[in-house]
Amino acid sequence: MKRRFVMVIAIVMVAIAMIMLLGGCGEKVANPSDFMGKWYKTDKKSCYDGSGNEYYYNGNRVLFIYRDIENEYETQIIYEVLEDRYNIYTGTSEGIEEYEWTAESISFKDYEEMNEEEFDIRKLFARDCCPREIKELIEPISEEILVSLFEEKEGWYTAVTEIYDYVSIKVTEQELYVRLNNTVTDEYDYKFVLDSKEIFIPDAAKEALENSKANLK
């Protein structure tokens, strides 16, 4: 009898687990405002803009990739945050040439004296890749506003009133896409992702930092 009771309980638990899994497979309208709140807080995120620039935040490292596609010019900036300072590596490349790196190490105290504010890598990252107009646009759009003032077509939400008539949004649990001025030719103007690739510091960048330290002696 006891064995049969245990088997029944096990079957019920499996059934509950299956229901929860199936329930999670249904479509859910993500909340743009809530999404951006999570994006700001997480230590693993990325952003992409329509110009081909890429921004990555992963743990104690940040990577900015700026591209001038017309002139085939590219710049990489890596921030490495340490206990009382941060290292900044800057690499530039033209065409297919290898990157030329420069680097320096700056204490938080020196940063504060130069900028009259405390060093905050989270704010620095968001300020660089998320313009204020995008921040002020997305943050008020709750799930209620999205479903009441936007209509969904082919995965994109487009405003049905003049309030947001210049923007289209695609939002999932992991990604948020923004098109401005109802752009139809570009995939997006901004893309925010709750994930990031690994950020590695090239050997040439490390050598540039060592050379910088040696020159200061």
Side-chain angles (χ1 to χ4, degrees):
M1 184 71 178
K2 183 176 180 180
R3 183 178 180 183
R4 182 181 298 176
F5 178 76
V6 172
M7 289 182 66
V8 170
I9 293 296
I11 293 172
V12 170
M13 294 300 293
V14 171
I16 292 173
M18 291 299 295
I19 290 171
M20 292 178 66
L21 286 172
L22 290 172
C25 294
E27 289 189 11
K28 182 180 184 301
V29 177
N31 180 335
S33 177
D34 182 56
F35 179 97
M36 290 308 296
K38 293 177 182 177
W39 189 86
Y40 284 124
K41 292 177 182 178
T42 184
D43 288 335
K44 196 172 184 180
K45 57 194 167 190
S46 54
C47 177
Y48 310 80
D49 66 34
S51 299
N53 302 322
E54 302 176 14
Y55 312 82
Y56 300 93
Y57 185 122
N58 196 332
N60 69 324
R61 293 178 180 177
V62 166
L63 168 63
F64 298 137
I65 303 176
Y66 302 101
R67 292 188 174 95
D68 183 342
I69 297 176
E70 183 178 350
N71 297 307
E72 297 184 340
Y73 190 80
E74 186 171 300
T75 301
Q76 286 195 24
I77 301 176
I78 303 172
Y79 285 85
E80 180 183 29
V81 181
L82 305 177
E83 186 175 345
D84 62 346
R85 63 181 51 248
Y86 66 94
N87 299 329
I88 178 170
Y89 309 86
T90 303
T92 59
S93 175
E94 190 169 357
I96 60 174
E97 295 179 1
E98 293 186 0
Y99 280 91
E100 292 186 6
W101 290 93
T102 59
E104 60 180 325
S105 186
I106 302 173
S107 69
F108 296 152
K109 182 179 179 181
D110 287 343
Y111 176 90
E112 185 174 351
E113 291 177 353
M114 290 185 292
N115 297 276
E116 298 183 348
E117 66 175 9
E118 292 185 359
F119 180 82
D120 188 329
I121 192 63
R122 196 187 303 273
K123 288 183 179 179
L124 185 149
F125 179 82
R127 188 165 53 205
D128 199 83
C129 69
C130 184
R132 178 177 294 180
E133 58 268 25
I134 296 297
K135 182 176 184 289
E136 293 177 350
L137 164 68
I138 296 299
E139 287 188 346
I141 302 180
S142 64
E143 186 172 323
E144 291 75 15
I145 291 177
L146 188 69
V147 298
S148 62
L149 299 183
F150 289 75
E151 63 179 1
E152 190 270 339
K153 185 177 180 181
E154 297 180 352
W156 286 88
Y157 287 88
T158 304
V160 295
T161 70
E162 294 183 357
I163 299 178
Y164 294 104
D165 62 354
Y166 61 98
V167 63
S168 296
I169 297 171
K170 180 191 288 186
V171 59
T172 69
E173 294 299 320
Q174 288 295 115
E175 299 177 333
L176 174 67
Y177 296 77
V178 180
R179 285 178 179 166
L180 301 175
N181 300 318
N182 288 321
T183 304
V184 293
T185 56
D186 296 332
E187 182 183 2
Y188 56 80
D189 287 298
Y190 291 93
K191 174 185 175 182
F192 301 90
V193 181
L194 291 172
D195 198 8
S196 171
K197 70 177 184 179
E198 293 296 322
I199 300 174
F200 299 100
I201 301 173
D203 290 339
K206 295 177 182 179
E207 290 177 7
L209 181 61
E210 292 302 317
N211 291 336
S212 174
K213 291 178 178 179
N215 291 335
L216 292 176
K217 294 180 179 180

